Amino acid sequence: MMMVLPLVGQGIVWQIANTAQCISLSSEDRFEYEGEPVASTTLRGMGDGGAMAVLSSVSPLTSRRKLGAALRKLRDQQGFTTEEVGAHLNCHNSKVSRIENGKRTCTKKDFEAFMDLFEVTEPMLSELRELMIKGRQQVPPWWYAYSDVISASYVEFLAYEAEAVQCFEYQPLLIPGPLQTAAYARAVTATGVAALGPDQVDSLVEVRMRRQERLREEEPLILDAVVTEAALRLLIGGDAVMREQLRHLAEVSQLDNVRFRVIPFQAGERAVSTGAFTLFASQRDVQVDVAFTESAESLLCYRDDPLALKRLSRLFGNLSSAAFSEDDSRELIEDIEKELVQNV
């Protein structure tokens, strides 16, 4: 039976079970290496030159969605309906829609039919073909190496995070995952309604640290994070761990692609929210594509619900308006860190 372990502040609700139960992969998401099926534990266990070398930093989902968006743009520009495109491909229009939404892999035969219908020429033809090939690749994303300890819902979260351009995160009690230190992440991960083994904790902390690489990539994730003052004052892991976390937070908040703000206690009811949530956008300064909301028992994903996405985006804006400026937030971080030093 699946155990649902609500680990507060993980940015996710972990659902830990054995390898077979933890994640169910579709036929499009099963991975091979040199023609042989690859187990997640094998990927994580191999050293340099082994299977670990073939892990990808992104999911094929990213390429599928980029190709789909390009195909839809071409269709709209040329005035075709999905029914007309489906007739040319000899398929139902629902298949065309799923390819455009990145929910279905585009076969080589379908790709050639799209290109023929839209009369695509170089250099766009080569660019789109590359996306088609990448969207069909069987190289697993890096997090597949941890699929024995992460849930299917977390896999979905990681896939969206990997392809996102912007991320908006609200945490009422804890530091957002992309900004946590290893010691802080370990203290949070080891807490829950059921005990995790040391190896499981180690693996989950590794995932957390690997996620943070997105903030320092050549084209980094743009993170806009808002927390309440309680997140800075809740003593996670003890004085030493919290001091290190606050110093790290003051440092990383100065990155050009990171915006970190704190809602002070005096904001009162303006800081009230039902719980933590994260929004992802695949393009800068546009409406978000997907949202994840957290509760003690579950993680909900809102992908095809424009009303929910609009409501959560508005909620994030309201919370942001109640927060200190970035400079004042950093000053508060430094003041609280000094208080902890004085208490030693």
Side-chain angles (χ1 to χ4, degrees):
M1 182 176 67
M2 179 79 73
M3 292 188 298
V4 180
L5 308 181
L7 303 185
V8 179
Q10 287 299 91
I12 198 78
V13 175
W14 301 103
Q15 296 175 311
I16 304 299
N18 61 44
T19 305
Q21 293 174 317
C22 186
I23 175 173
S24 176
L25 296 175
S26 69
S27 60
E28 291 182 354
D29 292 324
R30 297 185 187 279
F31 304 111
E32 298 179 353
Y33 178 59
E34 295 183 349
E36 298 296 328
V38 180
S40 61
T41 50
T42 300
L43 287 172
R44 192 163 70 246
M46 294 295 289
D48 293 340
M52 181 66 81
V54 303
L55 292 176
S56 170
S57 62
V58 297
S59 166
L61 177 63
T62 305
S63 296
R64 292 205 299 267
R65 286 190 174 141
K66 288 182 178 179
L67 174 61
L71 293 175
R72 179 167 185 172
K73 184 176 181 180
L74 286 168
R75 179 174 64 78
D76 288 342
Q77 288 175 340
Q78 298 186 30
F80 288 110
T81 65
T82 55
E83 288 79 7
E84 290 171 333
V85 175
H88 186 77
L89 270 63
N90 194 29
C91 69
H92 194 273
N93 68 300
S94 63
K95 177 181 176 180
V96 176
S97 296
R98 289 180 63 79
I99 292 175
E100 290 182 348
N101 292 328
K103 295 179 180 179
R104 183 185 179 107
T105 300
C106 183
T107 66
K108 294 179 181 179
K109 179 181 178 181
D110 288 339
F111 176 80
E112 296 302 332
F114 274 116
M115 299 299 99
D116 175 65
L117 177 63
F118 298 147
E119 299 181 345
V120 179
T121 58
E122 298 293 353
M124 179 181 288
L125 180 60
S126 294
E127 294 172 356
L128 295 182
R129 180 174 284 110
E130 183 178 0
L131 288 176
M132 182 270 294
I133 293 172
K134 288 182 177 179
R136 295 175 54 79
Q137 69 182 357
Q138 295 298 301
V139 178
W142 65 264
W143 54 85
Y144 183 73
Y146 300 91
S147 62
D148 57 326
V149 293
I150 62 177
S151 69
S153 56
Y154 195 31
V155 168
E156 184 175 25
F157 181 95
L158 292 172
Y160 277 107
E161 184 178 61
E163 67 176 280
V165 171
Q166 281 187 294
C167 172
F168 306 87
E169 182 169 350
Y170 169 72
Q171 288 288 342
L173 295 175
L174 295 157
I175 305 302
L179 305 177
Q180 293 178 5
T181 64
Y184 184 101
R186 185 175 301 279
V188 172
T189 303
T191 303
V193 296
L196 292 175
D199 291 343
Q200 291 174 314
V201 173
D202 288 345
S203 294
L204 294 175
V205 173
E206 286 176 17
V207 172
R208 178 61 48 78
M209 297 300 103
R210 182 67 184 268
R211 287 175 55 201
Q212 297 181 5
E213 294 178 7
R214 284 240 48 208
L215 296 179
R216 299 180 185 275
E217 292 177 347
E218 184 175 347
E219 296 183 5
L221 175 68
I222 300 170
L223 175 64
D224 191 342
V226 175
V227 304
T228 70
E229 187 174 340
L232 304 182
R233 295 191 178 276
L234 195 60
L235 205 59
I236 302 297
D239 286 354
V241 170
M242 201 63 203
R243 289 199 305 272
E244 179 191 31
Q245 174 62 69
L246 292 173
R247 287 195 293 269
H248 173 72
L249 192 56
E251 177 184 343
V252 74
S253 66
Q254 297 185 63
L255 293 175
D256 292 339
N257 56 302
V258 175
R259 188 182 189 191
F260 183 83
R261 289 165 295 163
V262 181
I263 303 175
F265 285 145
Q266 58 263 37
E269 67 276 4
R270 297 179 65 197
V272 175
S273 175
T274 55
F277 61 91
T278 303
L279 312 173
F280 290 121
S282 59
Q283 299 181 53
R284 188 168 184 173
D285 300 325
V286 299
Q287 184 175 342
V288 298
D289 304 300
V290 65
F292 290 85
T293 62
E294 302 172 38
S295 71
E297 296 182 350
S298 64
L299 177 79
L300 296 179
C301 175
Y302 298 89
R303 180 175 54 247
D304 300 316
D305 190 340
L307 183 60
L309 294 176
K310 185 176 181 179
R311 183 172 62 250
L312 287 167
S313 295
R314 184 169 59 247
L315 176 58
F316 186 84
N318 293 340
L319 291 166
S320 298
S321 67
F324 278 156
S325 67
E326 292 178 75
D327 289 339
D328 288 343
S329 294
R330 192 173 300 112
E331 183 177 347
L332 179 60
I333 294 170
E334 294 170 350
D335 288 343
I336 295 175
E337 194 271 332
K338 290 176 182 177
E339 291 175 14
L340 290 176
V341 172
Q342 294 172 356
N343 292 335
V344 175

